[in-house]
Amino acid sequence: MDVYNKNRDQNNSIHDEIREQNAKLKDAPLKEKLSYFKDYYLKTTIIIIIALIFLGNIAYTMITAPEDTGFAAFFFNDTGDSSSTAMLDEFVSYAGIDTKEHEAYIDATMNYNPEASDFDAYSGLEKSMAVISTGELDVIIGDSEAFDYFCKSECFPDITTVLPDDLMEQFKDKLYYYTNEETGETLPLGIYVTDSPKLNEYYYYVDKEPILGFLVNSNSMENAITFLRYLYTE
């Protein structure tokens, strides 16, 4: 039994109309064909082209992206130009990091205020913890309030177990000690870098006392230590 299908009739009507239009255009002048294309297909064609370009860019980025992160640092509550890459460019050259093979970045947009309660006050901390969990983050620099937050979260190792002998001698009088409230244990977890020539050159902590710490699970501790050396080059 042939069941009536309203949609079938509609589809047939559409197909008939398309065939009719194609027949009319078959021998039509080029101007009419272009006009028809503009009216019915141009917007769709543009959207498809844009979509293909977008997908192509994503694919290219994924294919050509560095395989891993060679160095990553977060600066909290700094006073520098967060859009500048001058320090990073100088450091990767100093450290010999091939940015075609390894990603490197310094994020100087981080802020922390323990008295604030809005979203911005915690977004930087949430981002930091996410990156720390992957082992990607190597260095955190910040004032004592920001630095203590990460000390409390046990993000830093005893820095005397990380520093090589020459740096231990250089910074023995600049160690930052933190007391664990639960255990009462006091450990050197950071270094005061207030007198760093590079931080001062790029105005990152004007009238502040920045403290540097290495992340306990850093995947690139060697580059993290090299960054400390770099900060004290003239």
Side-chain angles (χ1 to χ4, degrees):
M1 181 175 65
D2 189 10
V3 179
Y4 175 72
N5 188 329
K6 180 180 178 181
N7 290 332
R8 182 182 61 190
D9 290 346
Q10 291 176 344
N11 290 337
N12 287 338
S13 297
I14 293 172
H15 293 156
D16 290 341
E17 183 178 349
I18 292 174
R19 283 196 296 268
E20 183 179 345
Q21 291 294 336
N22 288 337
K24 290 180 179 179
L25 287 172
K26 184 177 181 180
D27 298 320
L30 178 61
K31 184 177 180 180
E32 289 187 19
K33 291 181 180 180
L34 292 175
S35 178
Y36 181 81
F37 175 81
K38 179 182 177 182
D39 292 339
Y40 291 95
Y41 296 108
L42 181 59
K43 289 183 179 180
T44 302
T45 302
I46 292 175
I47 292 173
I48 292 173
I49 292 173
I50 292 174
L52 289 174
I53 292 173
F54 177 73
L55 292 174
N57 283 336
I58 292 177
Y60 176 80
T61 300
M62 292 176 65
I63 293 171
T64 60
E67 296 180 359
D68 58 61
T69 300
F71 176 76
F74 282 176
F75 288 5
F76 274 85
N77 299 343
D78 66 278
T79 59
D81 180 359
S82 61
S83 65
S84 173
T85 63
M87 173 180 279
L88 177 64
D89 294 341
E90 195 173 70
F91 170 64
V92 295
S93 177
Y94 174 88
I97 298 174
D98 185 352
T99 53
K100 293 181 179 179
E101 298 292 333
H102 307 283
E103 185 180 3
Y105 63 89
I106 297 173
D107 191 333
T109 65
M110 299 297 178
N111 293 292
Y112 173 65
N113 179 358
E115 297 179 0
S117 58
D118 59 357
F119 173 77
D120 290 339
Y122 294 98
S123 60
L125 299 179
E126 292 176 354
K127 178 180 179 180
S128 298
M129 287 305 180
V131 177
I132 289 170
S133 68
T134 67
E136 180 178 315
L137 193 61
D138 306 304
V139 169
I140 285 179
I141 300 179
D143 56 20
S144 59
E145 289 182 331
F147 199 82
D148 282 353
Y149 175 88
F150 293 100
C151 290
K152 186 176 181 180
S153 301
E154 300 182 351
C155 293
F156 303 121
D158 179 339
I159 205 161
T160 63
T161 65
V162 176
L163 289 178
D165 292 342
D166 64 316
L167 290 181
M168 188 66 240
E169 178 64 25
Q170 180 178 349
F171 295 107
K172 63 182 180 181
D173 296 326
K174 298 177 183 178
L175 300 181
Y176 178 79
Y177 289 84
Y178 176 80
T179 301
N180 188 305
E181 295 179 357
E182 295 182 359
T183 65
E185 185 178 19
T186 300
L187 292 173
L189 301 183
I191 298 171
Y192 282 104
V193 287
T194 312
D195 59 344
S196 159
K198 290 301 179 184
L199 289 178
N200 291 327
E201 178 182 346
Y202 292 107
Y203 305 103
Y204 271 112
Y205 286 93
V206 177
D207 297 327
K208 294 191 175 189
E209 292 189 318
I211 305 159
L212 176 147
F214 302 123
L215 276 302
V216 67
N217 64 335
S218 164
N219 289 332
S220 306
M221 186 61 72
E222 183 177 347
N223 284 336
I225 293 172
T226 300
F227 184 68
L228 176 60
R229 294 185 186 278
Y230 159 78
L231 290 180
Y232 279 83
T233 59
E234 298 289 347

